Amino acid sequence: MDYFDYLDGFSTEEIEELLEQSQEKEQQRIKNELQRIDQELESRETIHEDIIKELESKINWYTERLNLVYKRTGNPSRIEELKKSLRKFYRELREEQRQNWRDRENLEESRRELLSELDELEDGDLTDLL
């Protein structure tokens, strides 16, 4: 069975128009997806910056507390407790940086794939298939 049997009754111009509309819809879909990814990248960057600021603030607070306890009392158990908290926040900070990097890489990979698809659509003309 030939697929072109389905096209009986349509003129070449009508088929070309349908193909062009299909191509335009696909291009628009890809552009919309690219826009969504760009917005997602911006949103995630804002969230990442907020998390980093919060973690850095906690690190600064615990560092100040550690220095104060060390200078005033020299209490070894309290100093070790504060150091433990600081190590925890530094780990969280590194993990946030890694997660952000991975997340951005995944979004950028999706973006590159979509741009490649869009280039193929813009370069190719479906009417050439006729």
Side-chain angles (χ1 to χ4, degrees):
M1 175 180 236
D2 192 11
Y3 288 108
F4 288 104
D5 290 345
Y6 295 110
L7 301 176
D8 283 346
F10 290 100
S11 69
T12 304
E13 292 81 23
E14 290 171 323
I15 294 170
E16 285 178 3
E17 186 178 327
L18 286 171
L19 288 172
E20 287 173 10
Q21 288 174 357
S22 176
Q23 188 172 7
E24 288 170 6
K25 284 180 183 178
E26 183 64 10
Q27 286 174 332
Q28 188 58 49
R29 184 196 65 77
I30 292 171
K31 288 176 182 178
N32 290 343
E33 185 64 14
L34 283 168
Q35 184 178 15
R36 187 196 64 77
I37 287 174
D38 288 341
Q39 290 170 346
E40 192 68 31
L41 281 167
E42 287 177 25
S43 171
R44 291 183 185 183
E45 185 61 28
T46 301
I47 291 169
H48 171 71
E49 288 172 0
D50 291 345
I51 291 170
I52 295 299
K53 284 178 186 175
E54 182 181 336
L55 286 169
E56 287 175 343
S57 174
K58 288 178 181 179
I59 288 170
N60 289 335
W61 187 86
Y62 276 94
T63 302
E64 289 171 10
R65 295 295 302 160
L66 179 62
N67 288 331
L68 187 62
V69 167
Y70 184 76
K71 287 178 184 176
R72 287 194 179 162
T73 66
N75 182 342
S77 63
R78 181 70 178 133
I79 290 172
E80 195 53 43
E81 183 183 320
L82 290 168
K83 284 182 179 180
K84 186 178 179 180
S85 295
L86 272 170
R87 285 190 291 270
K88 175 187 156 211
F89 289 120
Y90 276 116
R91 275 193 307 276
E92 286 181 23
L93 184 62
R94 285 189 301 273
E95 182 58 30
E96 172 59 30
Q97 295 286 26
R98 276 192 294 273
Q99 280 183 305
N100 183 61
W101 181 82
R102 274 182 258 151
D103 195 34
R104 289 186 65 79
E105 284 298 309
N106 289 338
L107 286 169
E108 290 292 343
E109 177 63 27
S110 296
R111 189 173 187 277
R112 285 188 292 274
E113 289 171 5
L114 288 167
L115 286 171
S116 177
E117 284 181 46
L118 187 60
D119 284 345
E120 287 176 19
L121 277 173
E122 290 174 349
D123 289 344
D125 187 5
L126 292 178
T127 58
D128 291 342
L129 298 173
L130 297 177

